[in-house]
Amino acid sequence: MFVISKLFWMAAQPLSLAFLLATFAFAALLFHGRRTAIGALVASLLILFLTLYTTLGSYVLQGLEARFARPTADPASLSCMIVLGGAFETEVTTARGGIEFNQAAERFIEALRLADRFPQSKIFVSGGDGSLSGSYEGDAVASERFFATFGVSADRLIGERASRTTFENVENSGTVLDRSGLTNCLLITSAFHMPRSMGLFRKAAIDVVPWPVDFRTSGTVSLGLDFTQPTLNAQQMATAMREWIGLLAYFVLGRTSALYPSP
């Protein structure tokens, strides 16, 4: 299932889908399917336009981020937090060592802030190598260097290194949490990723408190044209589309009980 999901996303992401449709249009033209070719080409151009030159991706992403509200204050006490992997550039850290973050860095920055505020709390990092090659270190490994750099004691860290997907994050976390005697942990992950994550944890009957971070939108995005930042628009669209595909797939497969989990 892991390999299938990776291969599917390679083809289903917006720019890849537009390219495949354009390629299909060219092939249809060669075999005298002019109407089919025109239809595929129009669909390809429409996907490109919506992806590159509108705010649709940010608008959809904004809805995902708003599903679970950002807390207005820190908890009164904190015994543990779960940080879902996906914030390290593991291809780079595997080759070079050190600490190299991607756009989801706030997952670990927030965990570090809370670890300093609540010095008795445990930090459970769930994240292995999510690549097809399986040749990179995961976030659980890289995070050990990160927290050590800022003086967080190793005995506060709990690492889960086998997970390659969000589903595996949750599946593997239950055993580790039970063994460690940890309950009602904060769940720290990107805001757009929180609905899917909470759906999985609820289905697994693991009580967690949502703690969304890494917001990618202002919260005030409206639908419209945007010719100023096509690269960012494409990134936002890909992120939103991937998350919704994940929500739908997990619901259809019975891994969550609700298509769009809510507070």
Side-chain angles (χ1 to χ4, degrees), residues 17-52:
L17 190 57
F19 174 76
L20 290 173
L21 282 168
T23 303
F24 177 76
F26 179 72
L29 207 56
L30 291 178
F31 292 97
H32 310 292
R34 189 161 180 251
R35 292 181 62 181
T36 301
I38 291 174
L41 185 59
V42 168
S44 173
L45 292 173
L46 180 61
I47 291 172
L48 280 176
F49 180 77
L50 291 174
T51 298
L52 297 174

Side-chain angles (χ1 to χ4, degrees), residues 201-213:
F201 274 98
R202 286 171 177 170
K203 183 72 173 183
I206 302 173
D207 290 328
V208 292
V209 178
W211 200 263
V213 296

Side-chain angles (χ1 to χ4, degrees), residues 141-237:
V141 175
S143 67
E144 292 176 359
R145 294 194 296 274
F146 170 71
F147 287 115
T149 299
F150 292 94
V152 177
S153 175
D155 61 11
R156 296 179 62 188
L157 304 179
I158 303 169
E160 186 281 298
R161 304 183 179 189
S163 299
R164 300 167 298 174
T165 65
T166 307
F167 173 70
E168 291 181 359
N169 283 145
V170 178
E171 188 176 46
N172 297 334
S173 294
T175 303
V176 179
L177 291 170
D178 287 342
R179 187 169 62 241
S180 303
L182 301 177
T183 58
N184 294 310
C185 301
L186 290 190
L187 175 61
I188 302 175
T189 191
S190 300
F192 66 83
H193 188 235
M194 190 60 77
R196 184 156 56 108
S197 301
M198 285 299 296
L200 288 166
F201 274 98
R202 286 171 177 170
K203 183 72 173 183
I206 302 173
D207 290 328
V208 292
V209 178
W211 200 263
V213 296
D214 178 34
F215 287 77
R216 308 285 176 93
T217 70
S218 65
T220 59
V221 178
S222 57
L223 285 173
L225 300 177
D226 181 9
F227 297 100
T228 65
Q229 47 188 4
T231 302
L232 177 60
N233 291 337
Q235 182 181 16
Q236 298 284 78
M237 179 71 89

